[in-house]
Amino acid sequence: MKKLLQSCLLLLLPLGVFASGGMELDSADYDLSDKASLENGAHLYVQYCLGCHSTKYIRYLNLADDFGVEQQEILDEVAPEGAGIYDKMLTAMNGHDAYKWFGVQPPDLSLIARSRGADWLYSYLKGFYMDPTRPLGVNNAIYPAVGMPNPLWKLQGQQKPIYEKVDGQEVITELVLERPGTMSPEKFDKSVNDIVNFLVYAGEPAQLERESMGKYVLFFILMFGVIAYLLKKEYWKDIH
């Protein structure tokens, strides 16, 4: 249970929150055509986020179909132990326990990338730093006074903030890695980007199919335009 709590990603974020102080949002380099990134992002999400947060509109079967991989691969590499291919991506935490431990039920993250934006989510997941004044010992440069632990702390390590005075107020302008995690900074950034990539996909799974069909639709419109132009010339050739 302790491991489950440490892995929770409690995005209890009020509407309208944006990057604060001197910190700017980093750009997420997500790419829905990168199936390897999507699969790795789903794998990391299940490992570090699904303990508290569902993506209830996605089934593991959807991942296999949309990522173009075998169903068994999704069960082996992505889904938690015991999950079936037709199961939804639901957290194991029930609402009663959530209210008991946190006073609120962690939100479903199916639409978090659409509501917050990929850049905000990417910066938020990288924005945790040590803060002994907070109940959980961590804070977030993008969302101050965050009410959740850093679910990726083992991978990222521990960061400390650098403050500067801006307009007479001390604000965080940079986060510096003080204790390395199990991943290099470059690999960690890539892993976070993969998680964001997966959450962008989860917000609109049909986007994969829609984008792949777009070129065929444009080709049809082009061909229809050519045919319409030739028909117009044929009908009007004897009219002067």
Side-chain angles (χ1 to χ4, degrees), residues 74-213:
I74 293 297
L75 292 177
D76 292 341
E77 302 296 331
V78 175
E81 185 177 355
I85 194 65
Y86 296 102
D87 289 350
K88 294 181 178 180
M89 297 185 70
L90 300 177
T91 177
M93 180 184 295
N94 61 54
H96 175 76
D97 288 338
Y99 279 107
K100 178 181 177 182
W101 295 326
F102 306 114
V104 67
Q105 185 169 353
D108 181 271
L109 298 185
S110 299
L111 302 178
I112 187 65
R114 294 184 66 178
S115 64
R116 289 293 180 185
D119 291 350
W120 191 97
L121 187 56
Y122 178 68
S123 303
Y124 174 79
L125 290 174
K126 299 199 313 172
F128 286 91
Y129 64 90
M130 294 180 294
D131 184 352
T133 67
R134 297 296 301 159
L136 298 174
V138 295
N139 211 329
N140 192 284
I142 304 302
Y143 177 45
V146 63
M148 58 167 284
N150 179 4
L152 307 175
W153 70 272
K154 285 186 177 180
L155 308 181
Q156 181 185 32
Q158 295 179 322
Q159 299 185 115
K160 67 176 183 179
I162 303 298
Y163 292 91
E164 291 184 12
K165 277 197 173 182
V166 177
D167 296 329
Q169 293 184 336
E170 281 198 340
V171 297
I172 298 174
T173 57
E174 185 182 0
L175 296 177
V176 177
L177 187 64
E178 189 168 68
R179 298 179 184 176
T182 58
M183 288 184 174
S184 66
E186 294 77 18
K187 186 174 181 181
F188 178 76
D189 288 354
K190 174 63 168 58
S191 296
V192 172
N193 200 81
D194 289 347
I195 295 174
V196 172
N197 203 20
F198 166 71
L199 288 172
V200 171
Y201 153 80
E204 189 182 357
Q207 185 174 349
L208 287 171
E209 182 178 0
R210 176 167 54 80
E211 290 183 351
S212 66
M213 290 179 61

Side-chain angles (χ1 to χ4, degrees), residues 31-40 65-69 208:
D31 179 6
L32 295 182
S33 66
D34 189 344
K35 304 300 177 64
S37 170
L38 288 171
E39 185 175 351
N40 186 52
D65 292 342
D66 293 340
F67 298 172
V69 299
L208 287 171

